[in-house]
Amino acid sequence: MTALVTLERAEKSFAGVQIGPVSLSVRANEVVAILGPSGCGKSTILRLLAGLMPLNAGLRSLATPAPRFGFVFQDATLMPWASAEENVALPLRLEGAEKAMRTERARAALSSVGLGDRGAALPRELSGGMRMRVSLARALSAEANLLLLDEPFAALDELTREDLNDQLLALFAQRKFGAVFVTHSVYESVYLASRILVMHADPGRIVATIDNPDPTPRPRGYRASPDYLSRVERVRAALRGEPRP
Amino acid sequence: MTAERLIAIGTPLTLFVFFLLAWEWSVTAFAVKPFVLPAPSAIALSLYENAASLLASAAVTMSLAAAAFAIALALGVALAVLFLQSPVIERALWPYAVILQVTPIVAIAPLIVIWVGLERAQLAVLILAVIVALFPVLANTTIGLKSVDRNLDELFRLHGATRWQRLWLLEMPSALPYLLSGAKISAGLALVGTVIAEFVAGTGGTAGLAWRIIEAGNRLQVAKMFAALVLLAALGVLVFAIVSLIEWWLLRRWHESASPRN
Ligand SMILES: Nc1ncnc2c1ncn2[C@@H]1O[C@H](COP(=O)(O)OP(=O)(O)OP(=O)(O)O)[C@@H](O)[C@H]1O
Ligand SMILES: [Mg+2]
């Protein structure tokens, strides 16, 4: 399986902050999780993958045909003047899809995140977690085959979070896409990902890659299995910077 | 009506009535000459007696000011959009906008009147009022168009938005609150500019309110001067209220400035 997007020794620096060199490629059938301390460059790497900012050094290459990106920002990033439904339909609108089709897809995407009845609401009428779900629905509506998610579930309660985790896995089983998501939850990363990248700061770099070959969708009891728990421990150790157990 | 509302409306109203009564009383008590300071009752009487000519003049001034405001609004937004497309054009034209803004209008007015010709004084007045009213709309819209949320900007780029899509779906809505607060200032300035221009154009120029004030002043009809002034102030408040209402109506659903706090 060829890579959808590849970064080779990519570097980015801001005033006084160095991120990279980082090498990373995402294939069409894998979910990659990125974990690391605040400020280590996780969001920056997502932006580099999406081509939203130029690299200072290194290479970025895309598959042909170029992947369709879906991006969930760390903040919900909705247009405050537009309804939830219009927000969700935006990527389709920008691509020139006709209105009937846009509306239908937007409604379906909103229902899939449990907001089927709030399509007419404006962002300021929604709670923080609902806004984040609208943002997620927007990324799903455009039938992206490469999803980049920046802490998509951080603002949600535990149960909604687990529901959406399962939905994402179900969706992933249906339509083979590639996904990269940033999270601060070790459990979530092991539950969702087929590959987990652990980053450290100064300079922002990937210090460990932990594969999780267990097949998806993962059964209900997976969260209690010894495999799961031992991987959680390995990710934890890598985050702390301890040698692998 | 709650007690709170009663106080909120009642206090300024009571103060105003008290002010008028004190004025009326002191004019009589100190025997102030009517051509120095007429009593409020005399002003009201004059307003009533000259209602026909004053209102006709007010209509002239108001329609000129409204036209000037509409032109300034369209021109200001168009220029701001142009500036957004090309920083080079912005840098080339911005200084002229600033120069027009900082040069006192009374200093330019005679020139414009001469160039346009006294026989077309209305046009001269219109041009001057547009010059005065243009800047706030232009400056605010220019800033507004650039204050797009960075992430939304990236989202539009990620999905390959065209120039037009960016402008209509992102930049214009982001700029709207800025544009409207500029428009509120411009609307008042259009009226001020119109009256100043009418003053400079002077005799035979227009039949606007400024001309009524000059006329009454020459005849020492001070009460009538005040009556015209009252009308002018009322027009100003009306214009401001209308634009504020439009602003509220357009932003009430989504913008923080127009939504109730509780
Ligand atoms: N546009 C920018 N301009 C200047 N510095 C930036 C910019 N974007 C990111 N940085 C810096 O780069 C570093 C990494 O930022 P980034 O947002 O990628 O961190 P993060 O790992 O996503 O952190 P968090 O977990 O808190 O979201 C930070 O030190 C930040 O200050
Ligand atoms: Mg981040």
Side-chain angles (χ1 to χ4, degrees):
Chain A
M1 184 68 71
T2 56
L4 290 170
V5 60
T6 305
L7 291 179
E8 280 172 74
R9 303 197 55 77
E11 292 181 45
K12 181 81 199 174
S13 55
F14 302 106
V17 188
Q18 167 72 21
I19 293 156
V22 165
S23 297
L24 161 65
S25 76
V26 187
R27 284 182 296 276
N29 59 346
E30 64 175 350
V31 177
V32 178
I34 302 181
L35 276 110
S38 178
C40 69
K42 303 180 296 296
S43 299
T44 304
I45 287 183
L46 284 195
R47 286 204 158 83
L48 293 178
L49 283 169
L52 289 173
M53 42 169 69
L55 303 174
N56 291 137
L59 277 179
R60 168 179 182 264
S61 50
L62 290 178
T64 34
R68 290 165 64 86
F69 285 98
F71 202 110
V72 174
F73 293 88
Q74 196 164 352
D75 319 306
T77 308
L78 303 175
M79 301 178 290
W81 53 84
S83 69
E85 193 175 294
E86 287 166 332
N87 268 291
V88 171
L90 181 74
L92 292 164
R93 180 162 187 184
L94 293 180
E95 284 164 17
E98 58 176 89
K99 192 164 166 92
M101 192 261 243
R102 260 170 19 214
T103 315
E104 189 195 310
R105 289 255 206 97
R107 291 205 177 130
L110 272 175
S111 308
S112 75
V113 295
L115 289 175
D117 55 344
R118 301 307 300 273
L122 289 170
R124 56 183 296 272
E125 297 162 347
L126 298 170
S127 75
M130 289 173 173
R131 269 178 246 161
M132 212 54 215
R133 280 188 275 159
V134 172
S135 172
L136 191 64
R138 178 175 60 195
L140 296 176
S141 75
E143 306 223 308
N145 60 354
L146 181 52
L147 280 180
L148 304 174
L149 315 167
D150 200 346
E151 300 187 33
F153 310 126
L156 305 179
D157 65 278
E158 194 74 22
L159 287 184
T160 313
R161 189 174 183 145
E162 283 179 9
D163 273 0
L164 285 176
N165 278 188
D166 286 337
Q167 269 179 43
L168 204 65
L169 283 180
L171 205 67
F172 182 67
Q174 266 172 39
R175 312 205 306 247
K176 287 293 177 190
F177 52 75
V180 181
F181 77 101
V182 172
T183 179
H184 282 295
S185 159
V186 176
Y187 298 107
E188 190 172 81
S189 72
V190 178
Y191 186 65
L192 286 182
S194 43
R195 186 147 53 101
I196 299 151
L197 309 178
V198 176
M199 292 186 65
H200 280 185
D202 298 317
R205 64 199 185 279
I206 298 171
V207 294
T209 302
I210 292 140
D211 285 311
N212 182 359
D214 293 339
T216 54
R218 292 171 178 156
R220 284 255 141 202
Y222 182 65
R223 283 194 177 94
S225 72
D227 270 3
Y228 172 80
L229 295 172
S230 80
R231 287 210 175 83
V232 165
E233 270 322 301
R234 280 178 60 195
V235 174
R236 250 183 222 298
L239 270 174
R240 287 214 191 84
E242 291 163 6
R244 288 181 171 199
Chain B
M1 197 183 282
T2 63
E4 214 171 289
R5 261 185 85 88
L6 211 64
I7 292 172
I9 299 172
T11 311
L13 212 63
T14 314
L15 191 70
F16 183 63
V17 170
F18 183 77
F19 169 71
L20 285 184
L21 286 175
W23 179 354
E24 184 81 39
W25 176 82
S26 19
V27 166
T28 331
F30 301 115
V32 181
K33 303 221 160 46
F35 58 83
V36 176
L37 182 67
S41 56
I43 295 170
L45 189 66
S46 167
L47 193 58
Y48 176 75
E49 281 171 349
N50 300 299
S53 79
L54 284 179
L55 282 177
S57 295
V60 170
T61 299
M62 190 66 177
S63 53
L64 271 176
F69 174 56
I71 294 172
L73 196 62
L75 196 63
V77 172
L79 277 175
V81 169
L82 186 69
F83 287 178
L84 182 72
Q85 311 306 317
S86 162
V88 177
I89 296 181
E90 175 174 3
R91 239 171 299 141
L93 292 187
W94 189 245
Y96 298 96
V98 174
I99 289 171
L100 277 183
Q101 158 74 6
V102 297
T103 311
I105 192 67
V106 282
I108 321 175
L111 263 182
I112 303 272
V113 173
I114 290 171
W115 287 341
V116 175
L118 257 183
E119 67 283 3
R120 282 186 298 173
Q122 295 234 350
L123 183 60
V125 169
L126 189 68
I127 292 174
L128 285 164
V130 169
I131 290 176
V132 176
L134 180 65
F135 196 76
V137 172
L138 176 60
N140 276 32
T141 310
T142 302
I143 290 184
L145 287 172
K146 289 178 187 164
S147 54
V148 165
D149 179 88
R150 196 175 74 109
N151 288 342
L152 276 176
D153 186 79
E154 291 186 337
L155 187 76
F156 272 67
R157 258 198 294 145
L158 188 71
H159 292 288
T162 63
R163 218 31 287 217
W164 272 113
Q165 288 176 323
R166 286 179 60 83
L167 183 64
W168 286 112
L169 299 178
L170 180 62
E171 285 155 351
M172 278 303 214
S174 300
L176 191 63
Y178 295 80
L179 189 165
L180 289 170
S181 75
K184 217 159 35 173
I185 301 170
S186 284
L189 282 182
L191 187 62
V192 172
T194 305
V195 174
I196 291 177
E198 282 178 349
F199 263 106
V200 175
T203 340
T206 65
L209 273 179
W211 174 237
R212 292 287 159 237
I213 294 177
I214 297 174
E215 191 186 50
N218 289 342
R219 296 176 192 164
L220 272 183
Q221 296 169 326
V222 181
K224 193 177 168 190
M225 283 174 84
F226 266 94
L229 216 55
V230 168
L231 261 186
L232 207 52
L235 281 187
V237 171
L238 183 72
V239 164
F240 189 80
I242 290 174
V243 182
S244 298
L245 197 71
I246 294 174
E247 181 185 34
W248 172 82
W249 187 77
L250 283 174
L251 300 182
R252 85 207 126 108
R253 288 192 63 219
W254 64 273
H255 200 252
E256 296 301 339
S257 68
S259 52
R261 259 164 258 275
N262 43 14

